[in-house]
Amino acid sequence: DAGVIQSPRHEVTEMGQEVTLRCKPISGHDYLFWYRQTMMRGLELLIYFNNNVPIDDSGMPEDRFSAKMPNASFSTLKIQPSEPRDSAVYFCASSFYQGPYEQYFGPGTRLTVT
Amino acid sequence: RKEVEQDPGPFNVPEGATVAFNCTYSNSASQSFFWYRQDCRKEPKLLMSVYSSGNEDGRFTAQLNRASQYISLLIRDSKLSDSATYLCVVNPMLNFNKFYFGSGTKLNVKP
């Protein structure tokens, strides 16, 4: 079975540009999570969805960040405009409500904003 | 105060050594606990769940101490391939699907 799929794997962009990260969760999973990982702050939860509905976006740093999940098999995280401090690895993860609650992570998108 | 705290290490140990990591959590109502492993430049992957009675998986043993609010991971007979960062994860009872990750403990196993 395919795991969580993320694209692109690497993204280099200039400050001020729009960045869109994509995620396809594991089929049948009803929770989807977006995380950001940096050396300084570790792994931070940005937002998560249940059955395509955003449940908790308290980790989204500011209005420049937005996330959508138009259907059960696709989600996007958008940063507009991007800033150098957004440079990080962004992970998408999915899980199944019925347990055992393990979250399966995608390979991540390494974002560099210059 | 952070939800989950870990010693960042690194722990540098020789092959064959036994090494233990601890992690403390702040929410006394937390019910689910896990250890994840993250290799360099890779995604986190579940290593093992932590049960109230403690559990063992081969060379790995996880323990939970609710009174002191910490969980531990013991690795016996360390292998070079155990070199990684180990993330402590806590799942508060009120929300079974929202994990809090520790910042990780780095382990280097040397030949």
Side-chain angles (χ1 to χ4, degrees), chain A residues 36-44 59 85, chain B residues 2 101-103:
Chain A
R36 176 172 69 176
Q37 187 174 40
T38 61
M39 288 293 292
M40 291 297 295
R41 301 175 67 90
L43 199 59
E44 302 173 280
R85 60 192 168 123
Chain B
K2 289 184 178 180
F101 283 79
S103 55

Side-chain angles (χ1 to χ4, degrees), chain A residues 82-94:
Chain A
S82 57
E83 296 182 3
R85 60 192 168 123
D86 301 330
S87 297
V89 180
Y90 291 81
F91 289 105
C92 175
S94 68

Side-chain angles (χ1 to χ4, degrees), chain A residues 33 37 48 56 101 103 106, chain B residues 36 38 43 95 97-99:
Chain A
F33 307 83
Q37 187 174 40
Y48 76 93
D56 185 345
Y101 313 120
Q103 293 186 13
Chain B
Y36 272 66
Q38 186 172 24
E43 71 272 22
N95 188 323
N97 280 282
K98 184 172 181 178
F99 285 5

